[in-house]
Amino acid sequence: MVTIAQFSDIHIGQDHEGDFGARAYRRAEQVMAYLNALPGPLDAVLVTGDLADHGLSAEYEQVAKVLASRHPVLTCPGNHDRREAYREVLLGEAPTAGPVNRRHELPGADLLMLDSSIPGRDDGLLDDETLAWLDARLADGRQELPALVAFHHPPAELHLPYVDPIRQFGEERLTEVLARHPRVAALLCGHAHTGAATTLAGLPVLVAPGVVSTVSLACEGTADVTFDQPPMLVLHVLDDAGRLTTHFRAVVPA
Ligand SMILES: [Fe+2]
Ligand SMILES: [Fe+2]
């Protein structure tokens, strides 16, 4: 059994009503304090993109600081991130511009974290290099174990006018790859700033809530983005049969 916490969209550096990023940092800090105080272990903490609000090196230094944890913390970039600074500061690598794709071997599952960003744009796409990388890693990984595939942009409509135009497009190309690898248990993403669940080609698509803000549905009758809901996270449990169960938690300061 694998237990993973996931949250998304901390947007470190986002200026909210002139606070120069203090609110975004405080909310990320609250989420990490909750996870660091858990009495039990986590196999990983996933943060699915939009780590920095403007992709600045100084912001990534704050990201590294706030995400420091006793748990393994794994990330992928979002549309607000910049690959070069992300690589240099968070990964300690040369600041190159190609997609940031990573495989992590967890004790009971392979986790593949993909770069769905398109430099300079807000919508998303898994480019040819990334899809070929995914196909190869799923084929050369531990076939007896389930796999989880994570990226920033949801590859499906969520009925959110604010987000649907900038979702991940070209999902039929992803579906083709997934059809060759039945060990993929679920797709994990963020970007929508709302906890949501949908499907793609029969697979669960779990959208982690945004920490910095919440995007509303039309029936909620509010502005597209609201700032008064508490930060949230999800806890995923992947059982030995490869079935994923997801629990949602709001993080309210003590
Ligand atoms: Fe975001
Ligand atoms: Fe995003």
Side-chain angles (χ1 to χ4, degrees), residues 3-10 31-32 34-35 38 42-49 67 72-76 111 113 148-154 186-192 194-196 204-211 231-237 244-251:
T3 305
I4 299 172
Q6 185 193 358
F7 58 92
S8 201
D9 295 79
I10 56 177
V31 170
M32 288 308 296
Y34 177 90
L35 295 174
L38 292 178
L42 293 171
D43 293 297
V45 173
L46 309 188
V47 194
T48 35
L67 294 184
V73 177
L74 311 173
T75 63
C76 65
L111 173 62
M113 299 197 69
L148 295 168
V149 176
F151 36 63
H152 181 64
H153 297 77
L187 308 173
L188 311 178
C189 56
H191 183 55
T194 180
V205 176
L206 284 313
V207 186
V211 168
M232 292 184 70
L233 59 89
V234 297
L235 296 167
H236 300 294
V237 180
L244 189 76
T245 306
T246 300
H247 302 256
F248 294 76
R249 293 284 179 274
V251 180

Side-chain angles (χ1 to χ4, degrees), residues 196-209:
T198 183
T199 60
L200 178 71
L203 275 180
V205 176
L206 284 313
V207 186

Side-chain angles (χ1 to χ4, degrees), residues 86-118:
Y86 178 106
R87 272 201 168 91
E88 190 163 39
V89 180
L90 288 187
L91 305 179
E93 297 177 1
T96 53
V100 183
N101 303 313
R102 290 287 183 278
R103 174 168 62 189
H104 303 280
E105 294 190 348
L106 303 179
D110 285 340
L111 173 62
L112 297 141
M113 299 197 69
L114 308 181
D115 189 340
S116 62
S117 71
I118 308 170

Side-chain angles (χ1 to χ4, degrees), residues 8-11 49-50 53 79-80 152 190-193 210 212-213:
S8 201
D9 295 79
I10 56 177
H11 286 263
D50 284 358
D53 199 45
N79 52 303
H80 280 253
H152 181 64
H191 183 55
H193 293 222
V212 80
S213 61

Side-chain angles (χ1 to χ4, degrees), residues 1-215:
M1 194 168 81
V2 179
T3 305
I4 299 172
Q6 185 193 358
F7 58 92
S8 201
D9 295 79
I10 56 177
H11 286 263
I12 295 298
Q14 184 178 92
D15 184 12
H16 184 72
E17 298 179 346
D19 72 358
F20 301 106
R23 178 183 176 279
Y25 191 90
R26 188 170 64 247
R27 286 169 75 98
E29 203 172 35
Q30 286 167 10
V31 170
M32 288 308 296
Y34 177 90
L35 295 174
N36 287 332
L38 292 178
L42 293 171
D43 293 297
V45 173
L46 309 188
V47 194
T48 35
D50 284 358
L51 308 178
D53 199 45
H54 310 93
L56 303 174
S57 295
E59 291 174 340
Y60 288 115
E61 282 162 17
Q62 295 289 299
V63 169
K65 191 172 145 199
V66 81
L67 294 184
S69 177
R70 67 188 180 90
H71 308 296
V73 177
L74 311 173
T75 63
C76 65
N79 52 303
H80 280 253
D81 292 300
R82 295 292 171 269
R83 290 169 176 172
E84 294 86 345
Y86 178 106
R87 272 201 168 91
E88 190 163 39
V89 180
L90 288 187
L91 305 179
E93 297 177 1
T96 53
V100 183
N101 303 313
R102 290 287 183 278
R103 174 168 62 189
H104 303 280
E105 294 190 348
L106 303 179
D110 285 340
L111 173 62
L112 297 141
M113 299 197 69
L114 308 181
D115 189 340
S116 62
S117 71
I118 308 170
R121 294 176 57 150
D122 285 327
D123 57 339
L125 179 79
L126 300 177
D127 67 13
D128 291 346
E129 176 183 336
T130 296
L131 283 172
W133 183 91
L134 174 66
D135 203 14
R137 294 295 83 72
L138 284 168
D140 72 9
R142 299 171 295 174
Q143 298 300 312
E144 72 283 8
L145 294 179
L148 295 168
V149 176
F151 36 63
H152 181 64
H153 297 77
E157 278 191 7
L158 300 177
H159 309 293
L160 295 169
Y162 192 72
V163 174
D164 287 341
I166 54 167
R167 71 178 179 88
Q168 181 188 142
F169 293 96
E171 65 273 19
E172 64 287 346
R173 299 161 66 245
L174 171 61
T175 300
E176 274 176 34
V177 173
L178 295 172
R180 292 195 278 276
H181 303 284
R183 72 192 187 101
V184 176
L187 308 173
L188 311 178
C189 56
H191 183 55
H193 293 222
T194 180
T198 183
T199 60
L200 178 71
L203 275 180
V205 176
L206 284 313
V207 186
V211 168
V212 80
S213 61
T214 304
V215 171

